[in-house]
Amino acid sequence: MSGHRKLTCGEAVALLYDYLDREGAQASIEDVEEHLQICRHCCDRFAFEASLWKVVRRKGSEAHCPESLKLRVSKLLDDY
Ligand SMILES: [Zn+2]
């Protein structure tokens, strides 16, 4: 575990879309996964986001609007 950084909830959320998109650096994704294992709050939140994301992805092949949806979701998260 040496050199392994623990994420705060804020950092984990900031990496959320990288994580869902699997576009983040592998190290960040591992950090997020580790955080999810220790943080129930983010775990619930990410589970919600992940299911939403799957819908977006599916719909995304028909209607192409992930950007506006991302904005809507981040607004939602701000209110959370
Ligand atoms: Zn957390």
Side-chain angles (χ1 to χ4, degrees), residues 54-68:
K54 270 184 208 148
V55 175
V56 173
R57 285 252 126 153
R58 241 191 345 249
K59 302 242 184 223
S61 49
E62 303 155 23
H64 204 69
C65 62
E67 279 308 318
S68 59

Side-chain angles (χ1 to χ4, degrees), residues 8-10 12 35 39-43:
T8 64
C9 288
H35 184 82
C39 183
R40 180 80 201 147
H41 177 73
C42 284
C43 196

Side-chain angles (χ1 to χ4, degrees), residues 1-67:
M1 293 277 278
S2 62
H4 203 73
R5 210 165 58 84
K6 290 255 185 293
L7 294 181
T8 64
C9 288
E11 286 168 333
V13 169
L15 290 167
L16 172 63
Y17 287 106
D18 283 349
Y19 174 74
L20 291 176
D21 237 359
R22 289 294 195 271
E23 278 174 5
Q26 187 58 35
S28 311
I29 287 169
E30 281 169 9
D31 285 348
V32 172
E33 277 170 351
E34 191 187 300
H35 184 82
L36 290 182
Q37 278 166 22
I38 58 168
C39 183
R40 180 80 201 147
H41 177 73
C42 284
C43 196
D44 287 347
R45 189 157 161 176
F46 273 52
F48 167 76
E49 287 302 311
S51 53
L52 195 71
W53 191 249
K54 270 184 208 148
V55 175
V56 173
R57 285 252 126 153
R58 241 191 345 249
K59 302 242 184 223
S61 49
E62 303 155 23
H64 204 69
C65 62
E67 279 308 318

